Amino acid sequence: MPQDKTGDPRQSAGNKLSVLRKHPIFADLEPDALDQLCRYAKHTTVKRGVTIAAKGDPGNNLFAVISGTVKISSSSPDGRNAILNLIGPGEIFGEIAVLDGAPRSADATANTNCELYIIDRRDFLPFVKSQPALAMKFIELLCARLRWTSQQVEQVILQNLPGRLASALLGLTEERKFDSGSGTLAITQQEISEMVGMTRESINKQLRAWSARNWVRLEHGAIVVLDTEALRELVESGLGGN
């Protein structure tokens, strides 16, 4: 991480405990274990666009998102980008490299201004070994990541553009990666194109067709999902018509 990403000294132990207690991964820890985790967790803020971790970096830290969205992506030598996932509040990232000790497998970038907790691998691995229930949580998380990856591969191979785009929008809304329960996805058409592997022009054409049907509404830097049932029916039909 950039050197200016330091912990906020004003972040009280009480606030830290409150946040971690609400985090799905850590919520079931016993009070003593949660107190111990609080001592390890360092608070930081990251501005939009800043690289948090780069592909190939050592996996020295685990990250928990308090607020904002982090983009997990990879790029090719010729400059093409692929967004692999968006990580929001209540989620963690960086766990693969932390657990297996290998280099980072992708880039992590602040997609918005973010608040994070950072836990050093040297503290975290002994802690996990002492908490079997937490270890099971991470096994479940890794299984979920594998299922997500399998679904992405399936969509790219088997679905045409409308189906892939509808699946991506539904996935983002179902994971609550939108603003204030409004169905507004704070994501650009370029970012969507990098998620589904199609050009921005193709994405724009398809979204405008759906906008005319009142399935979505296009806003500056955002997409509002208006009719999830129509998108779901499109995906389930396997037809992918526009």
Side-chain angles (χ1 to χ4, degrees), residues 51 53-56 70-86 104-109 152 190-191 193-197:
T51 298
K55 183 176 180 178
V70 174
K71 176 174 64 178
I72 308 300
S73 63
S74 188
S75 59
S76 66
D78 62 2
R80 290 178 297 164
N81 295 310
I83 295 178
L84 308 177
N85 207 350
L86 293 174
R104 299 287 185 196
S105 59
D107 298 323
T109 308
Q152 284 186 308
Q190 179 61 38
E191 289 168 339
S193 75
E194 293 173 4
M195 289 187 72
V196 300

Side-chain angles (χ1 to χ4, degrees), residues 63-240:
F63 303 90
V65 180
I66 305 168
S67 65
T69 305
V70 174
K71 176 174 64 178
I72 308 300
S73 63
S74 188
S75 59
S76 66
D78 62 2
R80 290 178 297 164
N81 295 310
I83 295 178
L84 308 177
N85 207 350
L86 293 174
I87 308 296
E91 295 184 279
I92 65 171
F93 64 96
E95 73 285 347
I96 293 176
V98 165
L99 291 172
D100 70 9
R104 299 287 185 196
S105 59
D107 298 323
T109 308
N111 211 42
T112 65
N113 292 341
C114 295
E115 275 189 284
L116 308 171
Y117 280 136
I118 307 173
I119 304 174
D120 191 287
R121 183 174 189 265
R122 293 170 297 183
D123 295 322
F124 187 70
L125 288 185
F127 181 74
V128 171
K129 290 177 180 177
S130 72
Q131 301 291 328
L134 183 60
M136 285 302 303
K137 288 274 190 180
F138 274 88
I139 291 173
E140 293 170 4
L141 175 65
L142 292 172
C143 290
R145 297 274 201 247
L146 181 59
R147 288 179 183 275
W148 168 258
T149 301
S150 297
Q151 289 170 3
Q152 284 186 308
V153 172
E154 179 181 322
Q155 289 165 14
V156 169
I157 294 174
L158 300 179
Q159 293 183 332
N160 59 11
L161 170 61
R164 284 151 68 178
L165 180 55
S167 293
L169 294 178
L170 288 171
L172 291 169
T173 55
E174 287 167 359
E175 291 165 21
R176 300 184 299 280
K177 290 168 184 171
F178 46 80
D179 295 335
S180 305
S182 64
T184 300
L185 296 167
I187 190 169
T188 67
Q189 292 183 35
Q190 179 61 38
E191 289 168 339
I192 283 286
S193 75
E194 293 173 4
M195 289 187 72
V196 300
M198 300 295 288
T199 66
R200 184 191 179 283
E201 291 73 17
S202 299
I203 296 295
N204 180 262
K205 180 179 179 181
Q206 186 63 68
L207 287 173
R208 289 191 178 279
W210 289 349
S211 177
R213 298 183 180 184
N214 291 320
W215 291 6
V216 301
R217 185 173 70 248
L218 306 182
E219 297 183 352
H220 180 67
I223 301 168
V224 184
V225 177
L226 302 174
D227 194 337
T228 57
E229 288 306 313
L231 295 178
R232 188 170 289 108
E233 288 176 8
L234 186 153
V235 173
E236 292 174 354
S237 71
L239 299 176

Side-chain angles (χ1 to χ4, degrees), residues 16 36 46 135 160 178:
K16 190 182 294 187
Q36 184 179 357
V46 186
N160 59 11
F178 46 80

